[in-house]
Amino acid sequence: MIQVRNIFLIFVFFLIVISIPFLEFFSFNLNFTNEKNNLKINFLTVKRLFFLYLIFLLIFSSLIIFIKRISKMSLFDISIILSFIYWVIFKYNEIKKLLNLINFNILKSYDGFFSITFTLLAILLFVFFYKKKKTNFINIFILFFFIINFTFLSSNILMGSNINKKNQIQNFEFENLNIKNLERNNIYLFIIDSMPPIKFADKILKTESKFFLDELRSNNFNYIDNSRSIYGNTALTLGSIFNLKPLKTKNNEFVKTYDQLEYPHLIFPTVLRKKYKSNLEYNLTKLGYNIKWIGSHFSNCYGYNRQYCIDEIDNENILINYEILSFLKKTAFQPIVHNIFNFFNFSIEEKIIFKSNNAISYFERYLEKTGKPAKPTFVLIHHLVSHWPYLVDENCKYEKNPGRINKIGIKKAFECNKKLISNISKKISEIDNQAIVVIQSDHNWELSNLDLSEYGDRNDIFNVIKTNDFCEKFEHNASNNIDTIRMALYCATNTKPLF
């Protein structure tokens, strides 16, 4: 009976130890998610990482049984050693950052190698001194270290979650647009993430976009020059679009941090969760529209609101996906596997990120397959080809150009986007000519973070709109993202726009 109890306690201890890197990962991404941190914690993230958790548990259990059979060590000693090894493996990235702080510029390209070496050295030293221990102090210390870690991280996640829920929805009043007409045209909102305005792109990248703009005009798509976004990042820009107005802050100041928001649930992609509803969703639902969302691997309907899914776009590969790869960045797994995959000419980025970035092509295939939606439909298409990492050539084939400010990668993504936008404008004109279409970026390119005078302000955006005969005279008012989406709602119902 005592032996069974000990085995059970060791198993529980392993569950706690294995959980710690996962809890650290969840805690960081829940508390520090912003436009620079692509990963959002949602149901899809938990589902994918849970499978990895089970694999680790199986590996640990197998190692305990194997070591017990070939050695005379106690189960408790084996569990302590394996727990330390597991913990140190997930400190690889922190060791690497520490080495980068020490200004060894000559050895910087080998920091991964030195990180692995230090990790292995720490494990060997621990095992050496552990085998020479005279008391159970080390066992007790490590036991309490992991339990305290687990308790702290769990409480941090729970408290952070509760804080995030405060003030959400409470006292939120929906804006009820005065639309009484019965006309209902489809609305297609394309967010071309990080797409620069034409004038800056042509000047800096030495591209020529006249033919592109002429082609758009021939399909009744008009480019609105000097357009601006209210905000300079994805979360706030899309949040304000769905709010139909700027996001309210506690002190009526311009938003600099998410903590200032009166209703933090309105930022993207949280705003699209099933339990929340924005002003845009409220009015679309009231007008009888279906709402659909084509996202990317980073944020999509499967992680936030399955009612908004059009078709299966989830990555069914339970081992090779963005969540697991992000989680394993804390270990030496990524550089080792990356080199192995490169040897066999297999690119993880091509298989996962590249395909999911091209939301325009997915929407085009959807239109070709199903035709014009039978019921009035609003579709959000979040397209990331022009967002770093730049993974396309000018013909939209896979080609990696590393670096946030890599002008070659930016140029090829820009040319690819122009082709995709031209194609989808033709397709919409053929299949759903009465649809109201908005094609705009959420913010300017990464170069705008370097020099505003040369590369444009972060809030300067690419903006194309297609309305109808009723609304054509109002298109010049669509010079920012909020006015554009409001006009789209009014134009889709043949109602005079109010800004």
Side-chain angles (χ1 to χ4, degrees), residues 3 32 129 134 180 189 210 291 321 362 386 416 481:
Q3 182 71 8
F32 298 100
F129 286 110
K134 303 294 183 182
K180 297 179 180 179
L189 171 62
K210 184 179 183 304
I291 302 173
N321 54 64
Y362 181 87
S386 46
C416 166
N481 55 336

Side-chain angles (χ1 to χ4, degrees), residues 38-52:
N38 286 318
L39 187 70
K40 310 294 190 297
I41 298 300
N42 52 51
F43 172 77
L44 188 60
T45 311
V46 176
K47 183 184 77 171
R48 287 172 170 170
L49 289 180
F50 180 70
F51 181 78
L52 186 63

Side-chain angles (χ1 to χ4, degrees), residues 376-402:
T377 302
F378 169 92
V379 186
L380 167 66
I381 303 102
H382 190 190
H383 177 84
L384 274 78
V385 160
S386 46
H387 191 287
W388 69 274
Y390 310 112
L391 301 176
V392 295
D393 64 12
E394 58 272 16
N395 295 312
C396 302
K397 303 296 184 183
Y398 176 76
E399 179 183 299
K400 183 176 180 179
N401 292 282

Side-chain angles (χ1 to χ4, degrees), residues 1 4 8 34 37 50 84 141-142 167 195 202 209 234 249 270 322 330 409 415 419 426 438 461 464 466 494:
M1 180 64 76
V4 173
F8 174 75
N34 54 47
N37 180 7
F50 180 70
F84 179 81
F141 174 81
I142 292 177
N167 294 326
M195 178 87 165
D202 281 353
S209 300
T234 305
T249 57
T270 307
Y322 184 75
K330 299 170 66 178
E415 294 290 6
K419 289 182 174 67
K426 294 175 187 175
V438 175
I461 61 171
V464 169
K466 174 195 165 299
N494 280 1

Side-chain angles (χ1 to χ4, degrees), residues 338-402:
H338 181 74
N339 289 328
I340 294 173
F341 282 177
N342 279 346
F343 180 78
F344 289 102
N345 198 29
F346 179 89
S347 171
I348 292 175
E349 286 178 320
E350 180 179 3
K351 300 299 180 183
I352 299 174
I353 303 177
F354 166 69
K355 292 175 67 176
S356 69
N357 278 355
N358 193 346
I360 290 179
S361 291
Y362 181 87
F363 178 74
E364 185 174 358
R365 292 193 298 272
Y366 159 72
L367 271 187
E368 289 174 345
K369 182 179 179 180
T370 63
K372 178 181 176 181
K375 183 179 178 181
T377 302
F378 169 92
V379 186
L380 167 66
I381 303 102
H382 190 190
H383 177 84
L384 274 78
V385 160
S386 46
H387 191 287
W388 69 274
Y390 310 112
L391 301 176
V392 295
D393 64 12
E394 58 272 16
N395 295 312
C396 302
K397 303 296 184 183
Y398 176 76
E399 179 183 299
K400 183 176 180 179
N401 292 282

Side-chain angles (χ1 to χ4, degrees), residues 186-205:
N186 297 316
I187 305 172
Y188 304 136
L189 171 62
F190 294 83
I191 299 297
I192 316 298
D193 210 302
S194 304
M195 178 87 165
I198 293 292
K199 64 179 179 182
F200 286 106
D202 281 353
K203 176 185 175 183
I204 301 300
L205 304 176

